[in-house]
Amino acid sequence: MYHLNVCQKLKDLNTPEGNFAADLYLKRAEVGLKKYGVGLDRKDVSEKEWLIHALEEALDLANYLEVVICQSHNKFVPILVTLQEQIIVAAVEIVSSINHLEIIIKE
């Protein structure tokens, strides 16, 4: 259910890369379902817990890109640096969302 929105956005790009990413996205969802036995439609995870998990995954991605950026000398390094910077900004926004949620919960 949740996967359809992201897949459609990827397919709407109308590029081979977007279609490939959409297919890979669905395959990753299947891997997660097989590995954990549950999908993203779980009700036992709070909004805060989803945001914390998203933050951890975003920071992992930033770290993986750092390795590639430091070890690589190909033409895509500037693009990867820009992507990493965007992920860092997204991570900060996730922290802000968590903090905002904490304020709402306390009120």
Side-chain angles (χ1 to χ4, degrees), residues 46-92:
S46 70
E47 182 178 355
K48 178 182 175 184
E49 290 169 321
W50 281 120
L51 287 169
I52 290 169
H53 187 66
L55 175 62
E56 292 167 349
E57 294 292 338
L59 294 174
D60 286 347
L61 178 54
N63 280 324
Y64 302 150
L65 289 173
E66 183 70 16
V67 172
V68 175
I69 290 165
C70 290
Q71 293 180 354
S72 182
H73 302 289
N74 70 46
K75 65 181 181 178
F76 296 108
V77 168
I79 294 168
L80 296 175
V81 168
T82 300
L83 177 59
Q84 184 187 44
E85 291 168 351
Q86 292 170 341
I87 291 165
I88 291 167
V89 169
V92 171

Side-chain angles (χ1 to χ4, degrees), residues 7-48:
C7 281
Q8 191 57 54
K9 287 179 182 180
L10 290 167
K11 290 184 181 205
D12 286 349
L13 296 173
N14 292 320
T15 64
E17 296 85 359
N19 290 332
F20 177 81
D23 292 341
L24 184 59
Y25 181 83
L26 286 176
K27 288 177 185 173
R28 294 297 305 148
E30 289 173 18
V31 168
L33 186 58
K34 287 178 184 174
K35 183 175 181 179
Y36 299 107
V38 292
L40 294 177
D41 54 349
R42 330 173 22 176
K43 303 296 182 211
D44 63 324
V45 180
S46 70
E47 182 178 355
K48 178 182 175 184

